[in-house]
Amino acid sequence: MSSLSKDTWIKLILWVIPIIFAGGSLYYQQMNTAEKVSSLSSEFDEHVDLAGHPVIVTRADEIEEEIQDIQVKMIEEQRLIRTEQQRAAENISSICQVTGANCR
């Protein structure tokens, strides 16, 4: 190794120093990222265990009530439609009987 000139030694040192710093920086970045991931993972687990945000739960309940109200209205409207259809069928039947027409 003593056969290398001072110029070569300086070039070698100048070439190795950035690699060492890059390796240290990469190691630090990996450790920092791993720490953040484990922290976020535990926070995420805590968040998943929550029942839900109160505003969202309240809004979901309101939507369920609205859906139930709409279903009740739809059932009432269907009853009215059936009543109208029955009345129309009776009227057509009466007209057919009075006129003697074959209304099938």
Side-chain angles (χ1 to χ4, degrees), residues 87-98:
R87 189 174 308 134
E90 289 172 358
N91 288 341
I92 291 173
S93 175
S94 298
I95 291 171
C96 289
Q97 284 179 359
V98 169

Side-chain angles (χ1 to χ4, degrees), residues 25-35:
S25 175
L26 181 64
Y27 177 76
Y28 171 77
Q29 204 58 14
Q30 290 291 336
M31 292 300 117
N32 192 20
T33 303
E35 184 180 318

Side-chain angles (χ1 to χ4, degrees), residues 2-78:
S2 63
S3 65
L4 296 176
S5 69
K6 285 186 178 183
D7 240 5
T8 307
W9 277 106
I10 291 174
K11 287 179 185 177
L12 186 62
I13 291 172
L14 289 177
W15 184 77
V16 169
I17 289 175
I19 292 175
I20 292 171
F21 277 106
S25 175
L26 181 64
Y27 177 76
Y28 171 77
Q29 204 58 14
Q30 290 291 336
M31 292 300 117
N32 192 20
T33 303
E35 184 180 318
K36 285 181 181 179
V37 167
S38 67
S39 172
L40 285 175
S41 178
S42 65
E43 289 177 15
F44 179 75
D45 291 340
E46 290 173 6
H47 181 73
V48 168
D49 292 339
L50 293 176
H53 196 278
V55 173
I56 294 173
V57 172
T58 303
R59 183 64 183 137
D61 292 342
E62 290 173 0
I63 290 173
E64 286 180 17
E65 290 175 9
E66 290 173 8
I67 289 172
Q68 289 175 353
D69 291 343
I70 290 171
Q71 288 175 339
V72 168
K73 288 178 184 177
M74 287 176 62
I75 290 171
E76 290 174 5
E77 288 176 2
Q78 288 174 353

